[in-house]
Amino acid sequence: MYKLITYICFYFPLVSSCLNLQITVSKFVSPALAQFIAYFNLALITLGLFLFRKNIKHLSPTNQLFFIFYLLYYSFGLLAMGTSGFKTSVIATFVPVIYFIGFYFLLSNREQFKIFFKVISICFVISAFLTIILIKLNINVYTGEEHGWELDRAGGVTGDANAAAHTSIFAFILFSQLYRPKKNIFRFLKIVILLIIFYSLYLTFSTTGLFVFTIVFFLINYKFFTGLRLTLLAAIIPLFYIGIFALKSQTASLGLSKAQTDKVNNIINLLTFNFDEVDNSGRGDLVEKALYYLYDHPILGNGIDFSVDKLVHNTYVGVWVDSGIFTFLFFIFMLFCYFFRSFSLSPNIRFFSISILTVLYIFMISLQSVINQPYLIVLFVFVGYLIDYNKIDKGYTNIFANKKG
């Protein structure tokens, strides 16, 4: 009964969010049914909290920082709405908050922590595979249409290329840590799956995604780049850039569409630090417009979800625009705490944690939806427990080892 409760009340909503069932149902079945699924998931998590209360174990001090952030965000945000006159559906903004609270208590149980890790890893891998399938079928989930022409960029289960990109990167990170086979045949299978996941990332033609993946790849393979191998890497880097310049000269002959060619050139400009030529798809203009609202109400902000309404496309600026400078400063402090506390982790999971945070932090520069999406906000909960479980074990116990908690 206990397992059935957790699977239904917590993991069904998690899978639903990861695979974006709500949007898919809305576009291809019925918007009313999709809305029912959204409310049903929140009801399940709320019920799960009540039924799971006796199994709550060691709560995470690191994750408690988010509760302070939420308190500041809603306090200043509501006050700002009263002064600026901005109106929005405040209740709708509680969706990621409810997911955060639900999994904050669920992952306090170490057994559930390990189950969560497996479930979310599998979900992201499935999502990466669906990214490939959907673009091959020329289906865009966001529009709910099957196009008669080849799509320029894969949008995955969200219909957004950048969201599909960070989904594939998380799939790569989590699967690399989750599946550690000892037999060569299964090691080969793991490499094949990781290559498929990378292919799903490639199909997004996401500038941010491929740039972040380059960083993450070195982080999660830190053991490989030591001693002589590190020296060889230093020697290979010039060859890597020679290859990039060669690719840039041949992009016109690769058979790519104009949009794809522009993205390839964009990625090359980024990797060669030619930042003046990097196209940010108009996000810089959106942030520049948002600065007007920031200067207008720098202390209190303009109201909850104001930045979403104005399409700011930058989480950091969005927090400030919504709830003022004090909330913004605490938000930055909180993110630093997560990052620097990750350095206290045992080496086998230190770079795993840092990789997850790196993806979240960099994508927050170009996306507003990182802390607004349930399947992403729970990753903060996961990392917080990684940090605090390691502290309980005094750095000597593998957090993923079988141990009741």
Side-chain angles (χ1 to χ4, degrees):
M1 186 65 180
Y2 160 73
K3 289 184 178 180
L4 183 62
I5 289 171
T6 56
Y7 286 135
I8 293 176
C9 293
F10 291 101
Y11 294 118
F12 175 78
L14 178 64
V15 173
S16 176
S17 178
C18 283
L19 299 182
N20 205 26
L21 294 183
Q22 183 183 347
I23 297 298
T24 304
V25 170
S26 176
K27 296 295 182 181
F28 294 97
V29 184
S30 165
L33 179 59
Q35 190 174 30
F36 170 78
I37 291 174
Y39 288 122
F40 182 63
N41 285 341
L42 297 181
L44 283 177
I45 293 176
T46 305
L47 176 64
L49 282 171
F50 175 75
L51 298 175
F52 188 75
R53 66 190 186 281
K54 293 182 180 179
N55 297 287
I56 294 171
K57 301 294 183 180
H58 306 288
L59 294 175
S60 165
T62 299
N63 283 324
Q64 289 172 5
L65 292 170
F66 251 99
F67 288 102
I68 301 174
F69 165 70
Y70 284 135
L71 179 63
L72 290 171
Y73 181 81
Y74 283 98
S75 296
F76 281 102
L78 289 171
L79 186 59
M81 290 175 69
T83 58
S84 69
F86 175 71
K87 296 181 180 180
T88 188
S89 176
V90 177
I91 295 177
T93 67
F94 278 104
V95 173
V97 179
I98 293 173
Y99 272 80
F100 185 92
I101 294 171
F103 285 90
Y104 168 74
F105 287 107
L106 179 71
L107 300 192
S108 68
N109 185 299
R110 194 171 297 211
E111 179 186 351
Q112 294 303 320
F113 174 86
K114 288 181 282 188
I115 294 174
F116 169 87
F117 175 47
K118 294 174 183 177
V119 171
I120 199 167
S121 298
I122 293 171
C123 283
F124 276 123
V125 171
I126 292 173
S127 183
F129 280 33
L130 287 174
T131 298
I132 299 173
I133 293 171
L134 289 170
I135 193 172
K136 295 303 180 183
L137 296 175
N138 291 320
I139 295 176
N140 186 294
V141 175
Y142 183 78
T143 61
E145 297 177 357
E146 178 182 351
H147 298 282
W149 62 88
E150 290 188 5
L151 298 174
D152 292 321
R153 303 174 66 190
V157 295
T158 62
D160 179 79
N162 282 314
H166 65 56
T167 295
S168 295
I169 299 172
F170 284 130
F172 195 96
I173 296 170
L174 294 169
F175 184 74
S176 296
Q177 179 71 32
L178 174 67
Y179 188 50
R180 293 179 171 273
K182 295 182 179 179
K183 294 184 178 180
N184 289 334
I185 185 171
F186 293 114
R187 287 178 178 173
F188 175 74
L189 176 62
K190 177 179 180 177
I191 292 172
V192 171
I193 293 174
L194 289 176
L195 287 173
I196 293 173
I197 293 172
F198 175 75
Y199 180 59
S200 72
L201 170 63
Y202 165 76
L203 291 175
T204 66
F205 284 89
S206 169
T207 306
T208 306
L210 288 167
F211 174 71
V212 172
F213 177 81
T214 304
I215 299 172
V216 164
F217 182 79
F218 286 106
L219 287 174
I220 62 178
N221 292 286
Y222 74 96
K223 286 185 178 179
F224 182 83
F225 302 108
T226 57
L228 178 60
R229 291 170 180 169
L230 187 61
T231 304
L232 291 174
L233 175 65
I236 290 173
I237 288 176
L239 296 177
F240 171 73
Y241 279 99
I242 290 173
I244 286 179
F245 288 120
L247 176 63
K248 187 171 185 177
S249 65
Q250 297 296 320
T251 50
S253 61
L254 293 177
L256 303 176
S257 68
K258 183 180 184 303
Q260 292 171 339
T261 300
D262 290 342
K263 280 295 177 181
V264 170
N265 288 330
N266 217 31
I267 294 164
I268 291 172
N269 287 330
L270 190 60
L271 292 174
T272 54
F273 306 104
N274 189 17
F275 298 122
D276 291 339
E277 298 298 324
V278 174
D279 179 18
N280 59 23
S281 302
R283 287 182 173 84
D285 295 333
L286 292 173
V287 172
E288 188 175 342
K289 290 179 181 178
L291 294 179
Y292 165 78
Y293 303 109
L294 191 151
Y295 295 145
D296 197 30
H297 297 93
I299 307 300
L300 293 180
N302 295 271
I304 297 168
D305 247 14
F306 183 85
S307 58
V308 175
D309 182 72
K310 300 301 180 182
L311 304 175
V312 172
H313 277 287
N314 184 303
T315 303
Y316 302 102
V317 175
V319 168
W320 192 344
V321 169
D322 287 354
S323 293
I325 188 169
F326 297 113
T327 305
F328 168 75
L329 290 175
F330 183 82
F331 182 65
I332 297 300
F333 167 76
M334 178 181 69
L335 297 182
F336 270 110
C337 284
Y338 272 86
F339 191 81
F340 286 111
R341 288 181 185 181
S342 294
F343 283 97
S344 67
L345 294 169
S346 53
N348 61 318
I349 55 175
R350 179 186 304 152
F351 292 100
F352 171 60
S353 173
I354 292 174
S355 296
I356 294 174
L357 293 176
T358 297
V359 181
L360 291 168
Y361 290 4
I362 295 180
F363 268 96
M364 280 197 283
I365 297 173
S366 59
L367 294 177
Q368 179 65 37
S369 59
V370 172
I371 60 174
N372 296 339
Q373 290 296 332
Y375 70 96
L376 295 179
I377 200 66
V378 295
L379 287 175
F380 278 106
V381 184
F382 178 68
V383 172
Y385 274 106
L386 269 178
I387 295 168
D388 294 324
Y389 277 143
N390 185 76
K391 189 180 297 183
I392 293 171
D393 297 334
K394 297 181 181 179
Y396 296 110
T397 303
N398 186 343
I399 210 95
F400 302 112
N402 291 324
K403 178 181 177 180
K404 294 182 180 180

